[in-house]
Amino acid sequence: MRTQLNFQDADAFYEQLLDAHEDLSAEESAKLNARLILILANQVGDAKVLKECVEAAKAFPA
């Protein structure tokens, strides 16, 4: 699992993510996040890496 930034313009991606959630209810926002996670997980395609990512996200300070 990569732990260092691995794509260009992370700030632009963050802004795009915020824009995607604009005007959504909490439920709609959660559903969007779930769909996005599944799409990204499909791109990763490695169950071990995905498990490591879930564990890293759980350990990340809120």
Side-chain angles (χ1 to χ4, degrees), residues 14-26:
Y14 184 69
E15 288 298 322
Q16 183 181 16
L17 190 58
L18 290 177
D19 290 346
H21 287 267
E22 190 173 343
D23 299 324
L24 296 181
S25 68

Side-chain angles (χ1 to χ4, degrees), residues 24-44:
L24 296 181
S25 68
E27 182 178 351
E28 291 167 330
S29 183
K31 287 179 180 181
L32 173 62
N33 282 337
R35 289 191 305 272
L36 178 58
I37 289 166
L38 291 173
I39 290 167
L40 293 173
N42 189 55
Q43 294 300 307
V44 171

Side-chain angles (χ1 to χ4, degrees), residues 50-60:
L50 292 170
K51 182 178 180 182
E52 291 173 359
C53 290
V54 169
E55 294 303 316
K58 287 170 47 179
F60 197 83

